[in-house]
């Protein structure tokens, strides 16, 4: 299987990370990985590093991307800095989830209703979006040690139940990864936490998409000759040219 990694795919990746600046470790072999609800409102910045794993003699420069993550009780948003695009998910009163693909430079967005996501087989899991880890696999993580990263308490875990083990450093108070690394499909994906704040204390100006031009996903077929729509089709969920 060939995996093509593009800017547009990064906000949805299950991320991986290697972080330094740790203090003395202490083993906690039986400490389970927990997700404590409700989750605190958080703003964080990450760097994702993608490296190819192959036996050829050709050197491959790793790809690096900075991106930001915003979490509140009913909304999750990512902002990919290299191309100034992002994604957002909103949890509706009935528990369904609406989704938007955001293009900040062009001030345009593509709006997906919950029914659209169901129709294209892309139904998001809120807890997974909110924590950046697969909550279905929490019981597989085994604690290895604890320390501090960026002045915050973390516990290091590994999941060795898969063919490609996952490494995780879990920020306990923030309920987010500080370190998450996974290998697979010829790549190692490593994401490290750069900074984390309470949502209201973040030093960055969060993009405001309220006045963006909106295109409903259901109307994309009627606008396939529009220059902007044509340019972004490969980046969109549920289109024939979209790469997963």
């Amino acid at each position: 299987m060939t995996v093509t990694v593009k800017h547009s795919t990064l906000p949805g990746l299950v991320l991986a990370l290697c972080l330094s600046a740790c203090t003395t470790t202490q083993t906690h072999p039986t400490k389970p990985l927990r997700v404590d609800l409700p989750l605190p409102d958080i703003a964080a910045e990450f760097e994702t590093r993608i490296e190819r794993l192959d036996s050829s003699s050709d050197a491959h420069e790793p790809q690096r991307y900075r991106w930001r993550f915003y979490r509140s009780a009913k909304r999750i948003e990512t902002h990919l800095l290299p191309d100034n695009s992002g994604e957002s998910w909103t949890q509706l009163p009935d528990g369904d989830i609406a989704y938007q693909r955001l293009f900040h430079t062009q001030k345009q967005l593509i709006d997906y209703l919950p029914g659209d996501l169901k129709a294209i087989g892309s139904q998001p899991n809120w807890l997974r979006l909110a924590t950046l880890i697969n909550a279905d696999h929490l019981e597989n993580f085994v604690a290895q040690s604890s320390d501090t990263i960026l002045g915050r308490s973390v516990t290091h875990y590994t999941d060795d139940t898969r063919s490609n083990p996952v490494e995780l450093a879990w920020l306990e108070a923030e309920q987010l990864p500080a370190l998450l690394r996974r290998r697979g499909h010829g790549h190692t994906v490593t994401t490290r936490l750069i900074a984390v704040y309470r949502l209201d204390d973040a030093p960055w100006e969060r993009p405001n998409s309220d006045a963006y031009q909106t295109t409903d996903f259901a109307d994309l077929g009627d606008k396939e000759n529009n220059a902007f729509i044509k340019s972004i089709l490969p980046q969109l969920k549920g289109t024939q040219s979209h790469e997963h």
Side-chain angles (χ1 to χ4, degrees):
M1 178 178 179
T2 300
V3 174
T4 302
V5 180
K6 294 187 175 183
H7 285 190
S8 60
T9 67
L10 284 171
L13 285 175
V14 180
L15 304 170
L17 159 66
C18 179
L19 191 72
S20 58
C22 298
T23 61
T24 305
T25 61
Q26 212 176 12
T27 59
H28 289 279
T30 61
K31 187 174 184 178
L33 177 58
R34 296 176 44 181
V35 173
D36 295 324
L37 299 174
L39 302 172
D41 294 353
I42 288 292
E45 183 170 320
F46 295 92
E47 181 182 78
T48 294
R49 175 187 172 106
I50 302 171
E51 300 174 271
R52 286 184 56 179
L53 299 174
D54 57 42
S55 57
S56 70
S57 58
D58 296 333
H60 299 286
E61 286 293 324
Q63 297 173 305
R64 298 173 184 267
Y65 306 95
R66 288 280 185 105
W67 58 283
R68 290 172 182 159
F69 173 87
Y70 303 93
R71 181 181 69 202
S72 59
K74 298 298 180 182
R75 183 177 172 89
I76 297 162
E77 185 171 338
T78 60
H79 181 194
L80 184 62
L81 300 182
D83 67 0
N84 199 28
S85 72
E87 297 178 286
S88 73
W89 298 263
T90 302
Q91 191 172 52
L92 305 177
D94 62 1
D96 282 342
I97 298 173
Y99 167 77
Q100 293 179 333
R101 187 70 170 89
L102 306 165
F103 300 90
H104 300 300
T105 300
Q106 299 85 351
K107 298 189 182 305
Q108 298 206 45
L109 64 85
I110 309 300
D111 196 37
Y112 294 71
L113 297 174
D116 298 327
L117 297 176
K118 292 175 184 176
I120 64 176
S122 181
Q123 294 176 259
N125 179 290
W126 186 260
L127 192 57
R128 184 172 184 173
L129 293 169
T131 62
L132 305 179
I133 61 173
N134 191 339
D136 293 337
H137 298 154
L138 292 182
E139 70 278 4
N140 296 334
F141 283 98
V142 177
Q144 303 295 331
S145 61
S146 65
D147 54 43
T148 58
I149 293 175
L150 298 179
R152 291 168 167 81
S153 175
V154 300
T155 301
H156 293 267
Y157 295 88
T158 57
D159 176 0
D160 296 327
T161 63
R162 314 181 198 193
S163 57
N164 296 294
V166 178
E167 302 170 40
L168 168 69
W170 184 245
L171 284 167
E172 297 170 356
E174 291 78 9
Q175 296 286 284
L176 270 181
L179 183 156
L180 179 61
R181 178 188 291 124
R182 81 180 315 174
R183 300 173 180 86
H185 305 307
H187 293 80
T188 295
V189 182
T190 302
T191 297
R192 68 184 182 91
L193 182 71
I194 303 298
V196 60
Y197 302 90
R198 294 195 323 172
L199 185 59
D200 292 339
D201 297 336
W204 323 296
E205 184 176 354
R206 185 174 176 181
N208 184 346
S209 59
D210 290 347
Y212 286 10
Q213 181 176 335
T214 299
T215 300
D216 293 335
F217 171 76
D219 295 335
L220 285 178
D222 298 331
K223 298 185 177 182
E224 59 185 6
N225 293 323
N226 177 281
F228 170 72
I229 297 299
K230 187 181 296 186
S231 71
I232 64 168
L233 279 177
Q235 305 178 39
L236 300 180
K237 296 178 182 292
T239 60
Q240 290 182 349
S241 57
H242 176 67
E243 297 188 34
H244 296 273

